[in-house]
Amino acid sequence: MDSGLSEDPVALKILIAGGFGVGKTTLVGSISEIKPLKTEEVLSDRGIGVDDLDGVEGKTTTTVAMDFGRITIRDGLVVYLFGTPGQERFWFMWDELSYGALGAVVIADTRRLTDCFPSIDYFEQRGTPFVVAVNCFDGVPSHSIEDVKIALDLEDHVPVLMCDVRRRASAKEVMITLVEHSLRTLTTAL
């Protein structure tokens, strides 16, 4: 029965975080229904000695502000994706980007696992629900979810899943896991 009242549209915000070169821009691009806004710039001489390219030697660009994408779930329900910059010199933007976020995806690269510690610390300190998505790069030895969880010293309730951020279905699974985890976390807090 139509009450004549329209529902207010709902917009959810999800952050995509992680270290330099882990696949944040790729994840946003693989799942966004719109052409994502990217603020990538070519790596320059100024990054020498600052940006650690170990394990990502072929990387030629970096995000300098944010990535932005959108997923429409249904009329009146939209998810906005905000990819954070991975380098420490851009972390000043994180507080603004994270304001009002439902939760976050921390992308991990097992070749450089310590690079995701700052993201994990950031969300833990603020009580923001997050999941860890281990990006399975071609030719990189795999590790069990339990080994990754132990290495990152995560609490038992934090979901960890393997993914390929290039694949839409894999990115979708990560998003669903985050939303379910965020709802459980927020419901428990009430």
Side-chain angles (χ1 to χ4, degrees):
M1 177 160 84
D2 184 14
S3 65
L5 299 174
S6 64
E7 288 185 30
D8 289 333
V10 175
L12 303 175
K13 179 194 268 188
I14 293 177
L15 296 181
I16 313 300
F20 177 66
V22 296
K24 299 177 296 291
T25 299
T26 303
L27 185 140
V28 171
S30 73
I31 198 166
S32 178
E33 69 190 29
I34 61 171
K35 182 178 178 183
L37 167 69
K38 299 177 185 179
T39 59
E40 289 199 309
E41 293 293 331
V42 175
L43 291 172
S44 68
D45 292 343
R46 287 190 255 174
I48 295 173
V50 178
D51 296 330
D52 180 5
L53 294 174
D54 287 342
V56 289
E57 290 83 2
K59 186 166 178 61
T60 59
T61 61
T62 188
T63 299
V64 296
M66 67 176 186
D67 299 313
F68 175 79
R70 182 184 73 209
I71 306 168
T72 301
I73 305 299
R74 61 172 167 75
D75 281 348
L77 180 57
V78 178
V79 177
Y80 294 119
L81 306 170
F82 290 85
T84 63
Q87 299 98 311
E88 185 176 353
R89 66 182 177 273
F90 298 120
W91 289 352
F92 67 92
M93 299 171 20
W94 281 39
D95 286 337
E96 291 299 321
L97 289 175
S98 67
Y99 181 77
L102 175 69
V105 173
V106 176
I107 302 177
D109 176 350
T110 57
R111 297 171 297 184
R112 303 157 46 110
L113 202 54
T114 58
D115 289 357
C116 66
F117 279 125
S119 300
I120 290 170
D121 291 346
Y122 181 88
F123 299 122
E124 283 180 342
Q125 290 170 5
R126 285 158 182 79
T128 303
F130 68 94
V131 301
V132 174
V134 179
N135 195 3
C136 298
F137 290 90
D138 294 334
V140 174
S142 63
H143 300 276
S144 73
I145 288 174
E146 190 58 34
D147 286 347
V148 172
K149 205 166 201 163
I150 289 168
L152 294 175
D153 194 28
L154 295 172
E155 294 184 26
D156 289 337
H157 73 276
V158 176
V160 176
L161 61 160
M162 301 297 177
C163 71
D164 181 341
V165 300
R166 300 169 296 184
R167 294 183 44 244
R168 183 179 182 88
S170 188
K172 180 179 174 182
E173 182 182 343
V174 170
M175 294 299 148
I176 290 169
T177 301
L178 172 64
V179 170
E180 290 173 346
H181 173 62
S182 295
L183 291 174
R184 277 192 307 274
T185 302
L186 296 171
T187 303
T188 303
L190 296 176

